[in-house]
């Protein structure tokens, strides 16, 4: 298939802490990292741009808790400079094609990749502007977790006016109930979905 010059792939938070063995492991996270690499290696020519997002926490306040409720508060994860904040090794083949990384949540909770920024030519650039600067019209979203950061990123993508699709077989959810709610939210926002969520 030829490259679509208006389509981008957004890889959400495929980090060690969200995969098995991490402080906030999502069942199936490592498998998602592997599948994303497989997808990117096979299909990178179909995208005009491929980018990634990353949780990048320093002092995010109540987002971290010693007694987390796993809805608004969470165990410490993806702290700046930690191994847990690094991208999972299984995702490394995909990152050969990643053009920019948008880091989010330095001093607050941040679920959507559209809250993240990258530095380009000494300027701080948000994801929406970065995509528009490249005339992107369509966005595919993959990564971790279906019911939190993938959901938020896809909803914001649609809200920003991009034709948005979540490739569910390249995502994993934290829990069945919240994943079901997330899929309903995506459908209500007219975000397209393909495939089935990876189960750990």
């Amino acid at each position: 298939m030829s490259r679509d010059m208006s389509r981008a792939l957004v890889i959400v938070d495929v980090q060690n802490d969200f995969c098995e063995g991490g402080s906030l492991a999502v069942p199936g996270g490592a498998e998602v990292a592997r599948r994303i690499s497989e997808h990117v290696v096979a299909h990178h020519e179909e995208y005009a741009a491929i980018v990634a997002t990353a949780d990048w926490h320093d002092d995010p306040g109540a987002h971290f808790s010693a007694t987390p409720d796993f809805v608004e508060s969470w165990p410490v994860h993806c702290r700046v400079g930690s191994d847990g904040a690094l991208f999972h090794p299984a995702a490394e083949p995909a990152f050969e094609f990643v053009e920019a990384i948008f880091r989010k949540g330095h001093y607050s909770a941040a679920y959507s990749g559209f809250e993240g920024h990258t530095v380009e030519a000494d300027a701080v650039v948000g994801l929406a502007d970065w995509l528009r600067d490249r005339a992107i019209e369509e966005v595919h979203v993959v990564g971790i977790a279906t019911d939190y950061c993938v959901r938020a990123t896809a909803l914001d993508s649609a809200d920003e006016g991009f034709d948005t699709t979540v490739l569910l077989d390249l995502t994993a959810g934290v829990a069945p109930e919240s994943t079901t709610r997330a899929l309903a939210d995506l459908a209500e926002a007219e975000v397209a979905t393909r495939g089935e969520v990876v189960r750990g």
Side-chain angles (χ1 to χ4, degrees), residues 55-153:
D55 261 14
W56 197 244
H57 296 309
D58 188 354
D59 183 13
H63 187 59
F64 284 174
S65 174
T67 55
D69 61 17
F70 294 93
V71 178
E72 299 294 337
S73 60
W74 307 88
V76 173
H77 61 276
C78 298
R79 191 181 285 284
V80 173
S82 69
D83 287 344
L86 299 176
F87 294 108
H88 192 274
E92 287 180 6
F95 276 79
E96 292 184 21
F97 302 94
V98 168
E99 295 180 45
I101 297 170
F102 294 82
R103 303 191 187 279
K104 56 189 173 68
H106 204 99
Y107 295 112
S108 64
Y111 295 95
S112 170
F114 285 85
E115 297 176 76
H117 299 85
T118 193
V119 177
E120 199 168 77
D122 295 325
V124 177
V125 183
L127 179 53
D129 288 340
W130 194 95
L131 294 171
R132 289 196 186 98
D133 286 346
R134 287 153 182 79
I136 297 299
E137 298 175 357
E138 180 183 2
V139 171
H140 287 180
V141 182
V142 302
I144 307 170
T146 320
D147 36 352
Y148 289 93
C149 294
V150 168
R151 169 192 173 276
T153 300

